[in-house]
Amino acid sequence: MSASNSPCTIHVGLAGLGNVGAGVYKNLDANRDLILQRTGADIRVKRVVVRDLSRPRDVAVPAEMISTDWQDLISDTEIQVIVELIGGTTTAYDLVCAALRAKKIVVTGNKALLAERGQELFALAEECGVPIYFEAAVAGGIPIIQVLQEGLVGNRILSIHGIINGTCNYILTRMSQAGLSYADALGEAQEKGYAEADPTLDVSGWDAAHKAIILASLSYGFWIPTSCVHVEGVDKIDIADFKFAKRLGYTIKLLSVIRADEQGLVEVRTQPTLVPLSHVLANVSGSFNAVLVNGDIVGETLFYGRGAGQDPTSSSVISDLCEAAAVIVYGARHTGFVPHGLYGKSKPAEETISHYYLRLTVDDVPGVLAQVSAELGRRNIGISSMIQPEDLEDTSGSTSLVLMIHDAKLGDMTQALEALRALKCVRGEPSWMRVETLQS
Ligand code: HSE
């Protein structure tokens, strides 16, 4: 069919009219003619479902189009595609299942839903012969799902390093560049609409971890269980760590790392990480995201763009709507996730190996370093360098001790930290982070 001479109307049901939902409604309307010319489809929102009718909205939707019962989207036989932007893993799950059973294509930006229940949902999608599209679930406006599913489909994925939470990247950038406190930086990120409704998901690292699970599952062909993912948030990072990191030639990013080892064991982790200042990822600032994908044929590729916010995220939803329209107009493709069996096992988090940064506040007395290094050495953890900055010493008889640690297993590090906390000469909570040298 020629895209220009046989327009086909695609009726869409939109669940959720928050930040992203309003962006989809607004931008779909603004670019309707362009999308029609490019796809041959006139994509129209027919119904919208919201939780609270009285809430003020960014867009004016005719009253007769809105209701509060998501079943209205299912029972409307004209609706062919349902966009799920309500978030959460309960009602959203019921809605997606009902949509698939009613043979309606699903578009979702819900990373928590896919990371936690993707396996069941894609099995149902397969059974019903209806696809689920989810470009908006990872990295906002960056089309990274299409990159993995299409652009790099011929590659074995060797590793992925991603800055994939805009809120955390905004917070860390403001702490690092403007010296803001964690609380003030979070407040700014919320004002700008980057954070999830409950920012705990962002700052705990779980929003990025959910996205990492999706990227890893696409790359390695099986759903990674959340229990095998090591996750730490940004809420405990002290401004002092930025100063030490800088002295050592690094900055701090919430980095998600995905890679398979030589045995095919897949590691997935999201945690604050020291990244060399000279590396391109160190310069990804504000709410921007970046995903560095290393494929065995293509080598290193980098994808950069806005990872959160109304317009960038709605761009990805609209891309999925166009994909859905193509399926309706031209016929079926895959269901959104193609399981494959080259790898198949998750690496237990405690077995993952990395360099580490460790900052301790210790009594400023002789013998302390020996006690600390003994606890590390007992667990086969070697120190590669150490600084005890004199200019930052306080007058309370304590001092900072900053150690860079050789390759260590996470399990050994965790045990060593427990032992260090128990030492009388160690005050307060140790601050520790992974270090990525990012050399291929
Ligand atoms: N809260 C998310 C972020 C939005 O900050 O990246 C996009 O998932």
Side-chain angles (χ1 to χ4, degrees), residues 152 154-160 292-301:
L152 301 183
N155 285 258
R156 285 171 190 266
I157 302 302
L158 304 177
S159 65
I160 298 178
L292 186 68
V293 185
N294 193 352
D296 67 341
I297 306 174
V298 71
E300 280 198 342
T301 53

Side-chain angles (χ1 to χ4, degrees), residues 111 136-137 140 164-168 194-196 202 207 211 289 307-308 313:
K111 46 260 164 191
I164 47 178
N165 183 274
T167 304
C168 291
Y194 302 144
E196 297 296 304
D202 292 298
D207 177 80
K211 294 167 183 168
N289 281 195
T313 311

Side-chain angles (χ1 to χ4, degrees), residues 109-354:
N110 192 332
K111 46 260 164 191
L113 178 66
L114 295 180
E116 286 173 23
R117 309 192 75 173
Q119 191 163 16
E120 312 160 51
L121 288 174
F122 283 103
L124 182 63
E126 190 65 44
E127 193 186 311
C128 299
V130 183
I132 304 174
Y133 297 124
F134 48 98
E135 188 61 75
V138 183
I142 305 175
I144 191 66
I145 303 298
Q146 276 181 37
V147 165
L148 292 175
Q149 287 180 330
E150 296 173 23
L152 301 183
V153 68
N155 285 258
R156 285 171 190 266
I157 302 302
L158 304 177
S159 65
I160 298 178
H161 291 82
I163 294 174
I164 47 178
N165 183 274
T167 304
C168 291
N169 203 45
Y170 185 87
I171 291 171
L172 297 181
T173 303
R174 295 292 286 154
M175 288 176 77
S176 158
Q177 293 178 1
L180 250 59
S181 70
Y182 166 76
D184 287 348
L186 171 62
E188 277 192 9
Q190 284 176 298
E191 267 166 38
K192 288 177 183 285
Y194 302 144
E196 297 296 304
D198 174 5
T200 316
L201 265 180
D202 292 298
V203 300
S204 66
W206 269 105
D207 177 80
H210 285 146
K211 294 167 183 168
I213 288 172
I214 294 171
L215 295 181
S217 301
L218 286 179
S219 301
Y220 297 109
F222 68 99
W223 281 93
I224 310 279
T226 47
S227 57
C228 289
V229 181
H230 182 70
V231 187
E232 283 165 47
V234 298
D235 44 350
K236 290 181 193 69
I237 302 176
D238 194 283
I239 206 85
D241 292 315
F242 284 98
K243 292 183 188 151
F244 289 122
K246 198 169 169 193
R247 276 189 181 206
L248 293 158
Y250 294 88
T251 191
I252 302 169
K253 293 289 178 193
L254 183 73
L255 196 69
S256 295
V257 179
I258 299 157
R259 63 179 156 225
D261 69 12
E262 279 155 13
Q263 284 78 47
L265 294 179
V266 179
E267 100 180 52
V268 181
R269 50 196 168 80
T270 293
Q271 59 195 126
T273 303
L274 269 63
V275 172
L277 282 167
S278 57
H279 194 273
V280 65
L281 288 179
N283 295 305
V284 175
S285 301
S287 71
F288 278 87
N289 281 195
V291 189
L292 186 68
V293 185
N294 193 352
D296 67 341
I297 306 174
V298 71
E300 280 198 342
T301 53
L302 178 67
F303 305 90
Y304 172 83
R306 287 203 183 274
Q310 184 175 82
D311 289 336
T313 311
S314 66
S315 164
S316 287
V317 173
I318 291 171
S319 154
D320 279 348
L321 283 171
C322 294
E323 185 70 26
V327 167
I328 293 165
V329 175
Y330 301 109
R333 301 186 59 196
H334 62 74
T335 56
F337 174 69
V338 182
H340 55 83
L342 278 180
Y343 300 89
K345 269 200 172 166
S346 287
K347 188 172 201 157
E350 61 274 15
E351 292 295 317
T352 61
I353 293 175
S354 178

Side-chain angles (χ1 to χ4, degrees), residues 50-57 68:
V50 296
R51 226 172 258 136
D52 177 3
L53 285 173
S54 64
R55 217 180 109 188
R57 307 281 165 188
T68 53

Side-chain angles (χ1 to χ4, degrees), residues 84-97:
E84 182 278 304
L85 295 171
I86 56 179
T89 55
T90 49
T91 308
Y93 178 81
D94 294 341
L95 168 61
V96 169
C97 290

